[in-house]
Amino acid sequence: MNEEEDISLDGIGMFSSEVFEEYDFHYGAHTIKINGQHVSNQHTQSVTGLLLWPASHTLCNYFVKKPDIFRDQNYVLELGSGVGLCGILSGLVSPEKTTAILTDYEESVLNLLQKNIDLNFPKESTKCKVEQLGWGNEENISTFETLYPFKFDLIILDRI
């Protein structure tokens, strides 16, 4: 091998942070398509927001059993959305007037999150929006507060 050859494991299955599988999840009458990585990749994946965590399923099952928690909500905020399973389901089970704001910090996670929203809602839908929100990042928090200068009706999070 000469010095010009580049050996890289990126792009080979579990070693790549950009290789995703598409999953179908069924909660009540709702089917959600999600791209992400299985939680078993947690030891090789440095960005945890790209993984599907078991706690998300527990919260989704709760939403299906208790959809009334969304009845009077205009704005739902999901902190640390990751691949967006819970936030997307909240957009599906909530009334039409409700908007779910799904947040995370890493650019790769935000891109995947938007892709997953696009898989589950028509392009013109305003049911789910993606915003960057980094805990402890004062500039980022200030920008977020400028965009949303009100109190959210419901804040959801799992595995945090």
Side-chain angles (χ1 to χ4, degrees):
M1 171 169 42
N2 66 42
E3 292 177 29
E4 293 178 19
E5 291 181 59
D6 179 25
I7 295 179
S8 173
L9 296 178
D10 197 33
I12 302 175
M14 71 178 192
F15 295 109
S16 174
S17 63
E18 300 300 320
V19 175
F20 304 111
E21 292 183 53
E22 186 173 296
Y23 298 88
D24 287 333
F25 295 99
H26 306 281
Y27 298 103
H30 304 284
T31 298
I32 301 173
K33 292 190 175 304
I34 294 289
N35 284 295
Q37 292 184 355
H38 192 270
V39 72
S40 63
N41 289 335
Q42 66 182 305
H43 301 293
T44 58
Q45 175 55 267
S46 63
V47 182
T48 59
L50 301 173
L51 302 171
L52 290 154
W53 293 93
S56 298
H57 301 294
T58 302
L59 189 56
C60 285
N61 284 319
Y62 180 80
F63 290 165
V64 170
K65 291 178 184 173
K66 305 282 187 181
D68 286 349
I69 63 172
F70 298 104
R71 181 180 40 218
D72 298 321
Q73 314 308 338
N74 291 314
Y75 288 95
V76 174
L77 173 65
E78 183 180 27
L79 298 173
S81 299
V83 297
L85 184 60
C86 296
I88 290 169
L89 183 61
S90 72
L92 291 171
V93 300
S94 63
E96 192 56 40
K97 67 175 183 164
T98 305
T99 299
I101 309 299
L102 285 63
T103 67
D104 217 295
Y105 184 69
E106 296 284 340
E107 200 65 38
S108 60
V109 177
L110 296 170
N111 291 336
L112 182 61
L113 184 54
Q114 185 61 59
K115 180 177 180 178
N116 286 336
I117 289 171
D118 293 345
L119 285 171
N120 292 282
F121 292 94
K123 197 98 177 135
E124 66 279 354
S125 175
T126 59
K127 290 293 291 173
C128 290
K129 295 181 181 179
V130 174
E131 295 290 350
Q132 186 177 46
L133 184 58
W135 304 344
N137 183 321
E138 293 299 324
E139 182 179 331
N140 184 250
I141 292 169
S142 178
T143 300
F144 186 84
E145 288 175 334
T146 300
L147 291 170
Y148 303 99
F150 49 82
K151 292 184 178 182
F152 284 87
D153 302 305
L154 181 65
I155 299 173
I156 61 173
L157 53 129
D158 66 272
R159 84 199 171 283
I160 295 176

PDB file of all heavy atoms in Angstrom, residues 48-66:
ATOM      1  N   THR A  48     -25.653  10.353  19.706  1.00  0.00           N
ATOM      2  CA  THR A  48     -26.738   9.533  20.246  1.00  0.00           C
ATOM      3  C   THR A  48     -28.103   9.876  19.652  1.00  0.00           C
ATOM      4  O   THR A  48     -29.003   9.053  19.661  1.00  0.00           O
ATOM      5  CB  THR A  48     -26.816   9.656  21.780  1.00  0.00           C
ATOM      6  OG1 THR A  48     -27.029  11.035  22.125  1.00  0.00           O
ATOM      7  CG2 THR A  48     -25.544   9.149  22.431  1.00  0.00           C
ATOM      8  N   GLY A  49     -28.256  11.066  19.103  1.00  0.00           N
ATOM      9  CA  GLY A  49     -29.528  11.468  18.517  1.00  0.00           C
ATOM     10  C   GLY A  49     -29.882  10.735  17.238  1.00  0.00           C
ATOM     11  O   GLY A  49     -31.002  10.849  16.743  1.00  0.00           O
ATOM     12  N   LEU A  50     -28.953   9.977  16.681  1.00  0.00           N
ATOM     13  CA  LEU A  50     -29.226   9.215  15.462  1.00  0.00           C
ATOM     14  C   LEU A  50     -29.730   7.808  15.760  1.00  0.00           C
ATOM     15  O   LEU A  50     -30.015   7.039  14.852  1.00  0.00           O
ATOM     16  CB  LEU A  50     -27.952   9.132  14.613  1.00  0.00           C
ATOM     17  CG  LEU A  50     -27.358  10.476  14.173  1.00  0.00           C
ATOM     18  CD1 LEU A  50     -26.013  10.260  13.477  1.00  0.00           C
ATOM     19  CD2 LEU A  50     -28.321  11.226  13.274  1.00  0.00           C
ATOM     20  N   LEU A  51     -29.849   7.488  17.055  1.00  0.00           N
ATOM     21  CA  LEU A  51     -30.240   6.143  17.484  1.00  0.00           C
ATOM     22  C   LEU A  51     -31.709   6.095  17.892  1.00  0.00           C
ATOM     23  O   LEU A  51     -32.277   7.087  18.350  1.00  0.00           O
ATOM     24  CB  LEU A  51     -29.384   5.711  18.676  1.00  0.00           C
ATOM     25  CG  LEU A  51     -27.869   5.701  18.460  1.00  0.00           C
ATOM     26  CD1 LEU A  51     -27.149   5.459  19.782  1.00  0.00           C
ATOM     27  CD2 LEU A  51     -27.470   4.660  17.437  1.00  0.00           C
ATOM     28  N   LEU A  52     -32.309   4.918  17.758  1.00  0.00           N
ATOM     29  CA  LEU A  52     -33.674   4.670  18.225  1.00  0.00           C
ATOM     30  C   LEU A  52     -33.599   4.090  19.638  1.00  0.00           C
ATOM     31  O   LEU A  52     -33.101   2.973  19.820  1.00  0.00           O
ATOM     32  CB  LEU A  52     -34.378   3.685  17.292  1.00  0.00           C
ATOM     33  CG  LEU A  52     -34.692   4.244  15.924  1.00  0.00           C
ATOM     34  CD1 LEU A  52     -34.786   3.154  14.893  1.00  0.00           C
ATOM     35  CD2 LEU A  52     -35.986   5.036  15.998  1.00  0.00           C
ATOM     36  N   TRP A  53     -34.095   4.829  20.615  1.00  0.00           N
ATOM     37  CA  TRP A  53     -33.988   4.420  22.017  1.00  0.00           C
ATOM     38  C   TRP A  53     -35.283   3.783  22.509  1.00  0.00           C
ATOM     39  O   TRP A  53     -36.380   4.256  22.182  1.00  0.00           O
ATOM     40  CB  TRP A  53     -33.644   5.632  22.876  1.00  0.00           C
ATOM     41  CG  TRP A  53     -32.280   6.147  22.573  1.00  0.00           C
ATOM     42  CD1 TRP A  53     -31.951   7.129  21.689  1.00  0.00           C
ATOM     43  CD2 TRP A  53     -31.050   5.672  23.119  1.00  0.00           C
ATOM     44  NE1 TRP A  53     -30.591   7.308  21.656  1.00  0.00           N
ATOM     45  CE2 TRP A  53     -30.013   6.427  22.529  1.00  0.00           C
ATOM     46  CE3 TRP A  53     -30.721   4.692  24.054  1.00  0.00           C
ATOM     47  CZ2 TRP A  53     -28.673   6.227  22.845  1.00  0.00           C
ATOM     48  CZ3 TRP A  53     -29.393   4.501  24.369  1.00  0.00           C
ATOM     49  CH2 TRP A  53     -28.390   5.254  23.771  1.00  0.00           C
ATOM     50  N   PRO A  54     -35.211   2.717  23.318  1.00  0.00           N
ATOM     51  CA  PRO A  54     -36.409   2.034  23.818  1.00  0.00           C
ATOM     52  C   PRO A  54     -37.367   2.940  24.587  1.00  0.00           C
ATOM     53  O   PRO A  54     -38.580   2.748  24.536  1.00  0.00           O
ATOM     54  CB  PRO A  54     -35.839   0.937  24.732  1.00  0.00           C
ATOM     55  CG  PRO A  54     -34.466   0.688  24.210  1.00  0.00           C
ATOM     56  CD  PRO A  54     -33.976   2.021  23.708  1.00  0.00           C
ATOM     57  N   ALA A  55     -36.860   3.942  25.285  1.00  0.00           N
ATOM     58  CA  ALA A  55     -37.737   4.840  26.040  1.00  0.00           C
ATOM     59  C   ALA A  55     -38.736   5.559  25.141  1.00  0.00           C
ATOM     60  O   ALA A  55     -39.848   5.888  25.565  1.00  0.00           O
ATOM     61  CB  ALA A  55     -36.902   5.853  26.819  1.00  0.00           C
ATOM     62  N   SER A  56     -38.362   5.774  23.898  1.00  0.00           N
ATOM     63  CA  SER A  56     -39.269   6.439  22.952  1.00  0.00           C
ATOM     64  C   SER A  56     -40.531   5.612  22.726  1.00  0.00           C
ATOM     65  O   SER A  56     -41.624   6.154  22.624  1.00  0.00           O
ATOM     66  CB  SER A  56     -38.569   6.676  21.611  1.00  0.00           C
ATOM     67  OG  SER A  56     -37.470   7.518  21.766  1.00  0.00           O
ATOM     68  N   HIS A  57     -40.380   4.300  22.672  1.00  0.00           N
ATOM     69  CA  HIS A  57     -41.538   3.426  22.463  1.00  0.00           C
ATOM     70  C   HIS A  57     -42.487   3.499  23.656  1.00  0.00           C
ATOM     71  O   HIS A  57     -43.705   3.505  23.483  1.00  0.00           O
ATOM     72  CB  HIS A  57     -41.095   1.976  22.238  1.00  0.00           C
ATOM     73  CG  HIS A  57     -40.186   1.817  21.073  1.00  0.00           C
ATOM     74  ND1 HIS A  57     -40.585   2.051  19.774  1.00  0.00           N
ATOM     75  CD2 HIS A  57     -38.881   1.477  21.000  1.00  0.00           C
ATOM     76  CE1 HIS A  57     -39.571   1.843  18.958  1.00  0.00           C
ATOM     77  NE2 HIS A  57     -38.528   1.510  19.679  1.00  0.00           N
ATOM     78  N   THR A  58     -41.937   3.562  24.839  1.00  0.00           N
ATOM     79  CA  THR A  58     -42.762   3.651  26.046  1.00  0.00           C
ATOM     80  C   THR A  58     -43.591   4.931  26.017  1.00  0.00           C
ATOM     81  O   THR A  58     -44.801   4.908  26.286  1.00  0.00           O
ATOM     82  CB  THR A  58     -41.870   3.614  27.306  1.00  0.00           C
ATOM     83  OG1 THR A  58     -41.116   2.399  27.294  1.00  0.00           O
ATOM     84  CG2 THR A  58     -42.697   3.694  28.574  1.00  0.00           C
ATOM     85  N   LEU A  59     -42.959   6.046  25.700  1.00  0.00           N
ATOM     86  CA  LEU A  59     -43.680   7.319  25.651  1.00  0.00           C
ATOM     87  C   LEU A  59     -44.713   7.321  24.524  1.00  0.00           C
ATOM     88  O   LEU A  59     -45.836   7.815  24.700  1.00  0.00           O
ATOM     89  CB  LEU A  59     -42.700   8.477  25.487  1.00  0.00           C
ATOM     90  CG  LEU A  59     -43.276   9.877  25.640  1.00  0.00           C
ATOM     91  CD1 LEU A  59     -43.984  10.064  26.982  1.00  0.00           C
ATOM     92  CD2 LEU A  59     -42.170  10.923  25.483  1.00  0.00           C
ATOM     93  N   CYS A  60     -44.387   6.750  23.381  1.00  0.00           N
ATOM     94  CA  CYS A  60     -45.348   6.677  22.270  1.00  0.00           C
ATOM     95  C   CYS A  60     -46.576   5.855  22.655  1.00  0.00           C
ATOM     96  O   CYS A  60     -47.708   6.227  22.327  1.00  0.00           O
ATOM     97  CB  CYS A  60     -44.690   6.096  21.024  1.00  0.00           C
ATOM     98  SG  CYS A  60     -43.597   7.263  20.186  1.00  0.00           S
ATOM     99  N   ASN A  61     -46.358   4.752  23.335  1.00  0.00           N
ATOM    100  CA  ASN A  61     -47.496   3.937  23.795  1.00  0.00           C
ATOM    101  C   ASN A  61     -48.375   4.723  24.760  1.00  0.00           C
ATOM    102  O   ASN A  61     -49.602   4.607  24.737  1.00  0.00           O
ATOM    103  CB  ASN A  61     -47.007   2.638  24.439  1.00  0.00           C
ATOM    104  CG  ASN A  61     -46.558   1.636  23.397  1.00  0.00           C
ATOM    105  OD1 ASN A  61     -47.184   1.480  22.357  1.00  0.00           O
ATOM    106  ND2 ASN A  61     -45.453   0.962  23.668  1.00  0.00           N
ATOM    107  N   TYR A  62     -47.767   5.555  25.594  1.00  0.00           N
ATOM    108  CA  TYR A  62     -48.527   6.409  26.508  1.00  0.00           C
ATOM    109  C   TYR A  62     -49.367   7.417  25.721  1.00  0.00           C
ATOM    110  O   TYR A  62     -50.535   7.640  26.037  1.00  0.00           O
ATOM    111  CB  TYR A  62     -47.574   7.130  27.466  1.00  0.00           C
ATOM    112  CG  TYR A  62     -48.290   8.033  28.432  1.00  0.00           C
ATOM    113  CD1 TYR A  62     -48.913   7.506  29.567  1.00  0.00           C
ATOM    114  CD2 TYR A  62     -48.361   9.403  28.204  1.00  0.00           C
ATOM    115  CE1 TYR A  62     -49.589   8.332  30.451  1.00  0.00           C
ATOM    116  CE2 TYR A  62     -49.030  10.237  29.087  1.00  0.00           C
ATOM    117  CZ  TYR A  62     -49.647   9.697  30.208  1.00  0.00           C
ATOM    118  OH  TYR A  62     -50.317  10.511  31.077  1.00  0.00           O
ATOM    119  N   PHE A  63     -48.797   8.023  24.676  1.00  0.00           N
ATOM    120  CA  PHE A  63     -49.532   8.997  23.869  1.00  0.00           C
ATOM    121  C   PHE A  63     -50.773   8.374  23.240  1.00  0.00           C
ATOM    122  O   PHE A  63     -51.819   9.012  23.162  1.00  0.00           O
ATOM    123  CB  PHE A  63     -48.652   9.559  22.744  1.00  0.00           C
ATOM    124  CG  PHE A  63     -47.544  10.463  23.201  1.00  0.00           C
ATOM    125  CD1 PHE A  63     -46.513  10.778  22.335  1.00  0.00           C
ATOM    126  CD2 PHE A  63     -47.502  10.991  24.485  1.00  0.00           C
ATOM    127  CE1 PHE A  63     -45.482  11.616  22.722  1.00  0.00           C
ATOM    128  CE2 PHE A  63     -46.476  11.823  24.891  1.00  0.00           C
ATOM    129  CZ  PHE A  63     -45.464  12.138  24.007  1.00  0.00           C
ATOM    130  N   VAL A  64     -50.644   7.132  22.790  1.00  0.00           N
ATOM    131  CA  VAL A  64     -51.780   6.458  22.155  1.00  0.00           C
ATOM    132  C   VAL A  64     -52.862   6.143  23.192  1.00  0.00           C
ATOM    133  O   VAL A  64     -54.054   6.257  22.907  1.00  0.00           O
ATOM    134  CB  VAL A  64     -51.313   5.174  21.425  1.00  0.00           C
ATOM    135  CG1 VAL A  64     -52.480   4.334  20.969  1.00  0.00           C
ATOM    136  CG2 VAL A  64     -50.432   5.548  20.242  1.00  0.00           C
ATOM    137  N   LYS A  65     -52.456   5.794  24.404  1.00  0.00           N
ATOM    138  CA  LYS A  65     -53.421   5.485  25.470  1.00  0.00           C
ATOM    139  C   LYS A  65     -54.052   6.743  26.063  1.00  0.00           C
ATOM    140  O   LYS A  65     -55.163   6.692  26.573  1.00  0.00           O
ATOM    141  CB  LYS A  65     -52.740   4.683  26.576  1.00  0.00           C
ATOM    142  CG  LYS A  65     -52.360   3.289  26.151  1.00  0.00           C
ATOM    143  CD  LYS A  65     -51.640   2.553  27.254  1.00  0.00           C
ATOM    144  CE  LYS A  65     -51.192   1.195  26.751  1.00  0.00           C
ATOM    145  NZ  LYS A  65     -50.340   0.494  27.704  1.00  0.00           N
ATOM    146  N   LYS A  66     -53.339   7.857  26.013  1.00  0.00           N
ATOM    147  CA  LYS A  66     -53.804   9.107  26.637  1.00  0.00           C
ATOM    148  C   LYS A  66     -53.749  10.282  25.653  1.00  0.00           C
ATOM    149  O   LYS A  66     -53.130  11.305  25.936  1.00  0.00           O
ATOM    150  CB  LYS A  66     -52.936   9.439  27.858  1.00  0.00           C
ATOM    151  CG  LYS A  66     -52.844   8.366  28.892  1.00  0.00           C
ATOM    152  CD  LYS A  66     -54.080   8.336  29.739  1.00  0.00           C
ATOM    153  CE  LYS A  66     -53.870   7.345  30.882  1.00  0.00           C
ATOM    154  NZ  LYS A  66     -55.008   7.240  31.738  1.00  0.00           N
TER     155      LYS A  66
END
